[in-house]
Amino acid sequence: MQRQAASMKRSLFNQEYLDEQFNELEELQDDANPNFVEEVVNLFFTDSARLIRNIELALANGPYDFGRLDDMMHQFKGSSSSIGAKRVKRECSQFQEYCNGRNIEGCKRAFQGVKQEYATLKTKLDAYFQMAREAS
């Protein structure tokens, strides 16, 4: 079971869902706080769900406040970076580029990519943490 969890984690890195920051978070985990990484990641998902809703509302109808959109996506990108969510972070950067160009259609397309990568990462990390719990 531990081998499967390790293999699943390796796969998340190989497919670039995660980067080195995730390993650094794991190094902070110890016997005193054995669920530290899972708790941090769950906080990320809770906070991100709120940001996604706010961005969806801001994209729903004009006039579009590109500064506010960029600020919200900057916050989302920072949160993604803090847990090592590499693909989500990349999609956030794409969104910000469209924002800087004041391209609302590009923002909307990029936001679909953000949401898709976010949902995929959540599914994969939920499965990983489930397996890691069973292995310990």
Side-chain angles (χ1 to χ4, degrees):
M1 194 66 90
Q2 283 182 325
R3 202 174 304 121
Q4 275 182 301
S7 172
M8 187 181 278
K9 180 180 158 188
R10 242 188 337 275
S11 163
L12 289 170
F13 277 87
N14 292 342
Q15 296 171 23
E16 297 193 335
Y17 284 103
L18 297 175
D19 64 24
E20 189 54 40
Q21 182 62 37
F22 189 82
N23 285 333
E24 291 178 24
L25 271 182
E26 286 191 322
E27 288 173 15
L28 299 174
Q29 187 164 288
D30 58 19
D31 292 339
N33 201 348
N35 301 320
F36 175 75
V37 177
E38 187 172 2
E39 290 168 10
V40 168
V41 168
N42 285 334
L43 281 172
F44 162 76
F45 285 125
T46 300
D47 193 45
S48 296
R50 179 185 51 78
L51 277 170
I52 287 172
R53 276 194 305 279
N54 289 342
I55 294 168
E56 278 176 338
L57 289 171
L59 287 173
N61 40 26
Y64 301 105
D65 183 343
F66 288 99
R68 184 166 171 266
L69 283 166
D70 186 62
D71 287 347
M72 287 188 287
M73 191 55 71
H74 180 76
Q75 187 178 351
F76 192 10
K77 184 173 145 185
S79 297
S80 300
S81 291
S82 72
I83 68 155
K86 188 173 185 174
R87 284 186 175 198
V88 175
K89 187 173 72 171
R90 189 181 313 143
E91 292 294 326
C92 290
S93 293
Q94 185 67 54
F95 180 97
Q96 288 184 291
E97 285 180 32
Y98 285 120
C99 232
N100 291 334
R102 305 183 73 73
N103 178 343
I104 197 62
E105 292 310 314
C107 285
K108 289 178 178 181
R109 276 194 315 275
F111 187 57
Q112 293 309 310
V114 168
K115 291 194 303 183
Q116 185 176 345
E117 290 297 348
Y118 168 85
T120 301
L121 180 68
K122 183 169 182 2
T123 300
K124 288 180 177 287
L125 282 177
D126 285 347
Y128 167 70
F129 288 127
Q130 174 74 32
M131 186 169 288
R133 276 195 306 273
E134 291 171 9
S136 59

